[in-house]
Amino acid sequence: MLTLFAALSILSASPETDAASVVERMHEAASRADGPEYFAQFTPDARFVGTDASEHWSLAAFRAYAEPYFARGQGWTYTPRERSLTVAPIDCQCIAWFDETLDNASYGQVRGSGVLRLTDEGWKIEQYVLSFAIPNDLAGTVAHTIKGYEADRAMTGAATE
């Protein structure tokens, strides 16, 4: 009897192709506002790290945030421009990591990165991180702006307590 891993190896082009297709399905489902398909690409204990410092979510918390948008037919489109994906060496082939450059109509060029794990159901996203790609020439200005924003929030919070 074939193990699940052996069966997947026979049926697929490669572990890299299979893992990359999960990331593709995630992006496509988000663009269609297809919540069930989107969340099916993640492990139950997955983490989603967004662009805001406060966005470090468990899958359940991210689902609670995203499902009202999906229910209104409102998704988000991040179009992959390029991706690098590596599957752990031959002795395991059960973990993959990737980084990608994405295009978004509102944010322009952004980056995604993450980790996938081979489960009994195939490859699943264990962690996904979305970040802004800030040109080095602008990094000081952006950091200064963020520090000012955080200081204003701290003062406002302190004033209301």
Side-chain angles (χ1 to χ4, degrees):
M1 182 166 161
L2 289 176
T3 66
L4 174 65
F5 179 70
L8 287 172
S9 298
I10 291 169
L11 297 174
S12 68
S14 72
E16 291 84 358
T17 301
D18 292 342
S21 69
V22 171
V23 181
E24 287 297 323
R25 283 194 302 273
M26 176 200 62
H27 288 306
E28 290 168 4
S31 188
R32 293 189 316 270
D34 183 344
E37 179 68 11
Y38 180 83
F39 289 107
Q41 305 315 307
F42 291 86
T43 63
D45 59 345
R47 302 293 297 175
F48 186 96
V49 181
T51 56
D52 188 282
S54 68
E55 296 175 337
H56 191 254
W57 289 315
S58 66
L59 188 64
F62 188 59
R63 184 187 307 261
Y65 166 80
E67 281 187 339
Y69 290 97
F70 288 157
R72 293 191 301 263
Q74 187 178 354
W76 47 84
T77 301
Y78 290 91
T79 305
R81 182 186 299 182
E82 64 182 75
R83 178 179 302 126
S84 172
L85 186 140
T86 303
V87 173
I90 193 75
D91 59 332
C92 169
Q93 289 196 326
C94 57
I95 299 290
W97 53 93
F98 67 94
D99 62 272
E100 57 187 0
T101 302
L102 307 159
D103 292 315
N104 177 269
S106 298
Y107 298 136
Q109 183 177 314
V110 298
R111 290 192 180 145
S113 62
V115 176
L116 296 105
R117 179 168 44 96
L118 188 58
T119 71
D120 290 342
E121 298 172 352
W123 289 99
K124 298 289 182 179
I125 299 167
E126 186 80 30
Q127 176 176 291
Y128 189 82
V129 179
L130 182 64
S131 60
F132 292 118
I134 300 170
N136 288 336
D137 292 347
L138 299 175
T141 301
V142 171
H144 179 75
T145 301
I146 292 169
K147 286 179 186 177
Y149 174 78
E150 290 171 346
D152 287 348
R153 285 181 61 193
M155 285 178 44
T156 303
T160 59
E161 291 179 353

